[in-house]
Amino acid sequence: MRDSAAGFPAPRIVSSTADLAQLCDLLKREPFVTIDTEFVREKTYWPELCLVQLGGTRDVAVVDTLAPGIDLAPLATLLDDAACIKVFHAARQDLEIFLHLFDRLPQSIFDTQIAAMVAGYGDQIGYDALVNAVTGGTIDKTHRFSDWSARPLSAAQIAYAAADVTHLRTVYVSLRAELEKQDRLHWADAEQAILTDPTTFRPDPRRMWERLKARTNNRRMLAVLREVAAWREMEAQRLDLPRQRLVRDESLLEIAAVQPATPDALARVRGVTRGFADGASGEGLLAAVRVALALPDGELPRPPRKPDGAKPSAALVAMLRVLLAAKCEQNRVAPKLVATGEDLDKLALGETDLDVLQGWRKAVFGDDALALLRGELSMSVADRNVRLVRVEKDV
């Protein structure tokens, strides 16, 4: 049976281990499989996987991961098969889920959002916009905010979920062909390397304090912040609770400042309840405070390094930004993928140990940026476009 409107097979529901094993055995023979997930996370630290959508050349399936007794081991085997490319759009959350489930990442990943940036479709383009740009089709996002943990699923929910992998097949084939024609497939591979590193999805609890951006140079306070932030991360994982539901950022910063030693003192911190302070979690947090207070001075963290105070010329940075936009327009690649605002600031200050001066970025923008900074390149306007002009310098 086919969905004549979309031209794709009607999705089938997979709710047993045997059916999942049969499906994955078929999909392993495909050159690629498109994958998406639906999950809920509002009340948990770890995403609760509710559906996995899988699309091959002939098969489109919605796997009910909450079906009683289903074992997802066949899916893990499919994800482990390096010969079959796993196609996602904006893969990070999906990959985090699979890493948590199977303790390893899928092999042979292709992220169409990254590929679209390399191919010139803009910065972090959404799935529905990319489908429209590549195929001219539209995605009905009516069920974007569905409760995917509720059962039974409606026919409309299933159709919505399946659309996230059916159209993705056409998008993948088109993008891959574009990148091969432009000789940019290796660009996409380089950008996707971060998705193959488990540490991308497993933050170090001992570094979580850095995200809180405490405005202090007091190293003892920073030590307390480091210990309580690491405790919160591990406790949130253990209890499977969102970090902010366990202890809010603002409360951690206040705890680092006041350094409570007793449940009574902890209960006076804004956002900390009496029940929490008197309970096991409260004792764990107070223990983390005691660890920080007992550290010798030599083991205290240092404040994050601040800029050395040198500020680049705003006009020069603006010129680099125009050059970046012009070169990216000329090469049809997303500017965000080539250089950040921080990169431009550092270039204007004369720094050279930068990613933008390496590999394909150097060829697209870095060489011309250096020429501009040396006074060997100027910019003008011709036919309503930025024109680059080489400058002959006097010897």
Side-chain angles (χ1 to χ4, degrees):
M1 176 181 176
R2 296 185 73 84
D3 179 349
S4 57
F8 295 124
R12 58 180 170 124
I13 300 297
V14 174
S15 55
S16 72
T17 305
D19 286 348
L20 178 60
Q22 181 185 48
L23 170 68
C24 290
D25 187 57
L26 289 172
L27 292 176
K28 280 193 295 184
R29 304 172 194 175
E30 302 272 4
F32 70 91
V33 58
T34 53
I35 306 176
D36 191 40
T37 64
E38 305 296 344
F39 58 91
V40 293
R41 195 176 195 168
E42 289 79 7
K43 299 178 181 179
T44 60
Y45 180 95
W46 306 108
E48 180 186 7
L49 181 61
C50 302
L51 296 175
V52 176
Q53 303 95 283
L54 300 169
T57 304
R58 296 173 299 277
D59 298 280
V60 177
V62 175
V63 181
D64 183 356
T65 59
L66 300 182
I70 193 168
D71 183 349
L72 298 181
L75 175 61
T77 302
L78 172 63
L79 298 177
D80 286 341
D81 190 339
C84 177
I85 296 172
K86 320 306 181 308
V87 180
F88 299 86
H89 182 82
R92 283 180 178 252
Q93 287 187 311
D94 304 312
L95 297 178
E96 180 191 7
I97 289 170
F98 292 135
L99 179 61
H100 178 59
L101 279 178
F102 304 127
D103 199 33
R104 58 192 182 275
L105 290 167
Q107 298 294 306
S108 303
I109 297 166
F110 188 99
D111 188 326
T112 55
Q113 186 177 70
I114 292 175
M117 292 172 72
V118 173
Y121 286 87
D123 291 336
Q124 295 182 318
I125 187 170
Y127 178 63
D128 47 350
L130 183 59
V131 168
N132 181 258
V134 173
T135 72
T138 58
I139 302 293
D140 180 3
K141 306 304 286 186
T142 303
H143 296 279
R144 182 193 297 265
F145 301 110
S146 283
D147 179 1
W148 295 104
S149 64
R151 295 294 184 272
L153 296 168
S154 69
Q157 283 179 302
I158 293 169
Y160 166 87
D164 282 343
V165 293
T166 51
H167 296 282
L168 190 56
R169 296 180 300 187
T170 306
V171 168
Y172 166 71
V173 170
S174 177
L175 280 178
R176 190 176 183 94
E178 280 191 58
L179 294 178
E180 288 176 343
K181 182 178 180 180
Q182 298 169 354
D183 193 25
R184 293 186 183 180
L185 197 56
H186 62 289
W187 293 15
D189 289 341
E191 297 310 307
Q192 290 169 153
I194 192 173
L195 301 179
T196 66
D197 183 356
T199 62
T200 300
F201 311 95
R202 289 175 170 168
D204 181 357
R206 302 286 295 171
R207 300 197 63 178
M208 294 302 292
W209 69 278
E210 297 172 358
R211 301 185 181 187
L212 301 180
K213 301 186 184 302
R215 297 179 179 179
T216 180
N217 291 324
N218 185 316
R219 294 178 63 194
R220 185 66 61 180
M221 177 178 169
L222 293 177
V224 176
L225 184 61
R226 180 180 66 185
E227 297 302 325
V228 296
W231 170 86
R232 182 183 68 171
E233 190 69 13
M234 293 183 287
E235 185 75 351
Q237 291 179 11
R238 185 182 73 82
L239 297 176
D240 197 16
L241 285 174
R243 299 181 191 97
Q244 299 294 329
R245 181 165 294 194
L246 183 63
V247 185
R248 296 188 64 82
D249 289 350
E250 297 84 354
S251 299
L252 287 185
L253 288 165
E254 186 175 344
I255 289 166
V258 302
Q259 301 166 13
T262 67
D264 284 342
L266 180 59
R268 288 194 290 271
V269 172
R270 182 175 54 182
V272 175
T273 65
R274 182 83 234 186
F276 177 94
D278 288 337
S281 290
E283 174 51 36
L285 195 155
L286 289 171
V289 174
R290 291 193 293 270
V291 167
L293 295 178
L295 288 172
D297 290 348
E299 295 181 18
L300 300 179
R302 296 189 178 277
R305 292 184 61 184
K306 295 181 179 180
D308 59 11
K311 291 186 178 180
S313 162
L316 185 54
V317 172
M319 290 180 67
L320 286 168
R321 189 172 290 113
V322 171
L323 177 64
L324 175 64
K327 293 295 294 184
C328 290
E329 183 179 84
Q330 179 185 31
N331 287 277
R332 294 195 70 245
V333 61
K336 187 174 182 179
L337 201 63
V338 178
T340 65
E342 184 179 0
D343 290 332
L344 300 184
D345 287 347
K346 290 180 178 179
L347 273 172
L349 288 170
E351 295 188 32
T352 56
D353 186 17
L354 302 170
D355 286 344
V356 72
L357 298 179
Q358 307 294 326
W360 66 268
R361 290 181 176 85
K362 184 172 184 289
V364 168
F365 170 68
D367 285 335
D368 281 338
L370 292 177
L372 180 70
L373 294 171
R374 291 192 301 262
E376 299 170 0
L377 185 72
S378 67
M379 293 182 288
S380 64
V381 176
D383 298 325
R384 292 182 294 180
N385 288 300
V386 174
R387 179 186 176 195
L388 305 181
V389 180
R390 297 293 164 179
V391 176
E392 294 294 335
K393 297 186 71 174
D394 294 333
V395 179

